[in-house]
Amino acid sequence: MKSIRVRMAPSPTGRFHLGSARTALYNYLFAKKTGGKFILRIEDTDQKRYVPGAEEEIVQSLEWLGIPPDESPVHGGGYGPYRQTERRDIYSKYSWELVEKDSAFPCFCTPERLDAVRKEQLARKENPRYDGTCRNLNPVEARRRVDADEKYVIRFKMPKEGSTTAVDLLRGPITIENTALDDFVLLKSDGLPTYHMAAMIDDHLMEITHVIRGSEWLSTFALHANIIRAFGWEEPTWVHLSLFLRPSGKGKMSKRAVAEDSKDGRSIFIRDLKELGYTPEGVLNWVVLMGWGVAEDDVMTLDQMVERFNIDSLTPSPAAVNFQKLDHFNGTHIRLLTNEDLSARIKPYFTKAGLEVQNETLLKITPLIRERLVTLDDCLAFASFFFQETVKPNPEDLIAKGLDAKQSAEIVRKAYEILSRLPELTHAVTEPPMRAYVEGSGFNAGQVFGILRVAVTGQKVSPPLFESMEIIGREIVLERLKKAVEILEKM
RNA sequence: GCCCCCAUCGUCUAGCGGCCCAGGACGGAGCCCUCUCAAGGCUCAAACAGGGGUUCGAGUCCCCUUGGGGGCACCA
């Protein structure tokens, strides 16, 4: 049996987004599942739309997600080059081969004329298509004009009759009338191929067995099958993935649509997601389930995905992206990380915020905040106070609900008294006397601990009080309590 | 306009003719736990688009309607 080879073939004309990530993931999963190879090929044949840096973003995103290709422009491989502009001679050769076979023809029509024709057709409410001017040119004459350096493209000679049927793995046979297809351009006047041509040639040369791509290609699918058949090559298995819809479900996902439908902190770009504090595990788990379903146990690691993945159980219907679900998976995977791993991942956020963190302290804090994090950068909101010299509690927050400043001051003073008698403030020694105090004070735990929380951490929401005090240390805790009393006394 | 694809809770989905008065997950509601916020546990509400067939039997097969999406470039 032939070994499986799949590919992801993005063009470096835009950023690497969720759709790209999922296509890459499914390709990756299928390759790993079957012991095949996952190839990354850069389709940079459109020089006008070329975006510098786009290729780096693609490679880095795959790397970050943990689904790197086996072969690519940077990883190498035996089927290179993997950048189409570095393969330009190949395409010209094959295009002319098709001309020889009478399946393609050189066309000398100018873009201006074609444009005019299209407008006329549209005005007459006809379907815009190539009018066939050069289709039946005498081959000898055509060759002469090419040799005379006249500008030309090569077009596919689509059969005028009959229909083309090609099979999509998820949808079954799809038949399109040939009259509905056009004489598509295969080779552009700049000598570079269009996607239609380049992808088919490269897939053949790189021995791609399964083409797993977005369903925006479904409409030109028959053209692609025609090209392959004209060459007499073996067709790959076609798998057209479902499309991603904007969160509202009304229309295709795009940067703008997502911005309109969701709150801030959302992005469809993988690199942004990384910056926003999402984990590769969370993103992968989220993305893998849009277009594929498991009966239960939907929290999965990459290895489990590989194990359970089944290419023909993919869904053909479009899927609206749901960022709340991303948050859920991200939080879930954060909770699955070891303390060491999570510590290492959140450390950069503190550093970036200008806080100096000691690994040892961070390792003690991590278990306190892990189940509170949705994104990694949430660590700042929950744990910055551990690393700050002083905290600045909002005076209002130092007064517990139902109490006044005087009562609150009394509580902090009492706490200071109790805690200052203890040699060290470990959780085990601080909680019992504080609980005892609450018992006899007439105040409730929520009020007392609430005030102390604000006094010690400077914020109303924080990790558990006693554990936090232990990490902050006796000296600073007492100092902060004293400060709180001063604030309350001035109110 | 033409061509193509799709159709189960608000969303992602399980279901491949009887196991389904439809299961899971997110989100929502409620309760429990609780020093805040989370996490966790339990419970609830929530769907087979409509109409025709086929069949002893249809969410599952076929057709139509409707709805949604995509494509119609010397872009991918």
Side-chain angles (χ1 to χ4, degrees):
Chain A
M1 204 181 115
K2 218 162 81 177
S3 68
I4 304 270
R5 291 176 57 83
V6 292
R7 106 275 126 126
M8 195 220 174
S11 67
T13 54
R15 304 193 53 194
F16 193 86
H17 57 74
L18 296 174
S20 335
R22 190 193 52 176
T23 301
L25 213 211
Y26 287 163
N27 272 287
Y28 177 91
L29 293 178
F30 185 58
K32 296 302 153 191
K33 177 90 186 182
T34 58
K37 292 278 188 254
F38 170 43
I39 290 104
L40 172 67
R41 184 176 70 225
I42 301 296
E43 311 229 326
D44 55 350
T45 56
D46 187 349
Q47 319 130 290
K48 290 189 226 65
R49 296 200 308 153
Y50 181 81
V51 176
E55 184 185 317
E56 285 68 28
E57 182 161 346
I58 292 164
V59 172
Q60 286 166 5
S61 294
L62 290 175
E63 210 72 45
W64 179 73
L65 286 168
I67 51 172
D70 296 302
E71 300 172 21
S72 83
V74 296
H75 299 82
Y79 294 77
Y82 294 91
R83 235 176 250 118
Q84 290 184 328
T85 47
E86 294 167 19
R87 303 168 64 79
R88 56 191 308 154
D89 296 345
I90 298 172
Y91 308 116
S92 166
K93 178 183 148 240
Y94 280 103
S95 297
W96 281 103
E97 186 181 322
L98 239 36
V99 173
E100 295 302 313
K101 292 180 178 212
D102 199 32
S103 289
F105 60 92
C107 169
F108 305 93
C109 299
T110 64
E112 293 73 31
R113 195 187 77 76
L114 259 16
D115 225 41
V117 169
R118 199 183 349 257
K119 282 194 181 109
E120 275 172 46
Q121 289 169 329
L122 249 17
R124 273 183 266 131
K125 296 208 191 300
E126 285 172 21
N127 289 325
R129 58 172 42 120
Y130 180 61
D131 66 355
T133 304
C134 300
R135 185 172 162 119
N136 297 313
L137 241 40
N138 178 315
V140 180
E141 165 71 2
R143 189 72 232 191
R144 191 194 57 75
R145 288 172 71 176
V146 167
D147 291 340
D149 271 351
E150 201 172 322
K151 262 206 171 213
Y152 72 97
V153 301
I154 290 179
R155 289 179 178 273
F156 190 67
K157 204 172 210 172
M158 188 61 65
K160 287 283 184 208
E161 278 152 16
S163 60
T164 302
T165 300
V167 180
D168 174 81
L169 185 69
L170 308 178
R171 291 160 246 259
I174 292 169
T175 301
I176 296 176
E177 294 300 317
N178 287 337
T179 49
L181 264 11
D182 206 355
D183 291 342
F184 282 90
V185 171
L186 264 21
L187 195 73
K188 299 183 278 186
S189 58
D190 63 4
L192 283 167
T194 57
Y195 169 86
H196 309 302
M197 189 60 165
M200 294 316 111
I201 292 173
D202 288 343
D203 285 346
H204 173 253
L205 261 22
M206 294 180 180
E207 295 179 28
I208 300 302
T209 55
H210 299 250
V211 171
I212 305 169
R213 50 151 38 168
S215 61
E216 64 268 24
W217 295 113
L218 222 38
S219 44
T220 38
F221 175 36
L223 193 227
H224 300 156
N226 268 308
I227 292 173
I228 291 171
R229 290 169 194 176
F231 276 116
W233 295 337
E234 196 183 332
E235 248 179 275
T237 298
W238 306 97
V239 185
H240 292 93
L241 269 17
S242 67
L243 236 43
F244 278 167
L245 269 25
R246 58 193 293 176
S248 67
K250 304 274 177 211
K252 197 156 73 148
M253 177 190 79
S254 69
K255 176 184 175 176
R256 192 171 151 190
V258 165
E260 281 169 13
D261 291 357
S262 8
K263 57 174 184 169
D264 288 346
R266 305 307 198 192
S267 173
I268 62 171
F269 302 115
I270 300 304
R271 187 179 269 175
D272 291 352
L273 257 20
K274 177 189 173 196
E275 295 308 314
L276 289 166
Y278 289 98
T279 60
E281 291 90 339
V283 173
L284 245 26
N285 204 152
W286 177 48
V287 149
V288 82
L289 289 172
M290 290 193 281
W292 180 48
V294 292
E296 256 146 88
D297 298 326
D298 58 2
V299 175
M300 294 176 279
T301 61
L302 225 204
D303 286 342
Q304 290 169 318
M305 289 177 205
V306 171
E307 195 180 313
R308 299 167 74 172
F309 188 71
N310 178 213
I311 193 152
D312 38 47
S313 65
L314 262 22
T315 335
S317 50
V321 295
N322 177 353
F323 285 91
Q324 285 178 316
K325 208 154 182 168
L326 202 214
D327 285 345
H328 167 257
F329 280 119
N330 204 244
T332 302
H333 276 100
I334 282 176
R335 273 170 254 132
L336 252 24
L337 298 175
T338 61
N339 274 332
E340 289 72 18
D341 191 353
L342 182 53
S343 282
R345 294 204 209 194
I346 58 180
K347 188 175 178 183
Y349 291 92
F350 292 108
T351 311
K352 217 180 298 171
L355 297 167
E356 200 183 312
V357 304
Q358 304 78 38
N359 288 342
E360 208 183 316
T361 311
L362 190 55
L363 213 46
K364 279 191 261 180
I365 293 167
T366 303
L368 262 39
I369 61 172
R370 63 179 316 129
E371 62 269 9
R372 287 163 235 268
L373 304 181
V374 172
T375 50
L376 293 172
D377 61 334
D378 286 342
C379 65
L380 250 22
F382 282 110
S384 288
F385 67 87
F386 284 111
F387 305 109
Q388 285 158 348
E389 292 287 316
T390 56
V391 292
K392 277 219 186 97
N394 178 359
E396 315 280 303
D397 296 339
L398 283 168
I399 300 169
K401 212 171 175 185
L403 304 182
D404 57 28
K406 222 177 126 197
Q407 292 170 300
S408 295
E410 175 57 31
I411 289 171
V412 183
R413 252 192 303 266
K414 189 69 191 173
Y416 183 91
E417 197 184 310
I418 296 168
L419 297 175
S420 61
R421 278 200 299 260
L422 301 170
E424 53 170 10
L425 301 188
T426 59
H427 181 186
V429 308
T430 50
E431 185 159 2
M434 286 307 298
R435 291 268 177 208
Y437 161 62
V438 170
E439 282 299 309
S441 70
F443 302 119
N444 64 45
Q447 292 172 317
V448 174
F449 299 149
I451 295 170
L452 298 179
R453 158 174 290 103
V454 174
V456 170
T457 70
Q459 49 197 59
K460 281 160 77 174
V461 173
S462 82
L465 180 62
F466 298 108
E467 286 90 330
S468 297
M469 292 198 300
E470 177 173 338
I471 293 170
I472 293 168
R474 192 184 125 105
E475 196 182 332
I476 295 176
V477 167
L478 293 177
E479 193 179 296
R480 289 181 183 180
L481 289 179
K482 209 189 288 175
K483 200 60 146 288
V485 173
E486 284 167 23
I487 294 171
L488 283 164
E489 279 171 345
K490 270 185 260 174
M491 291 182 78

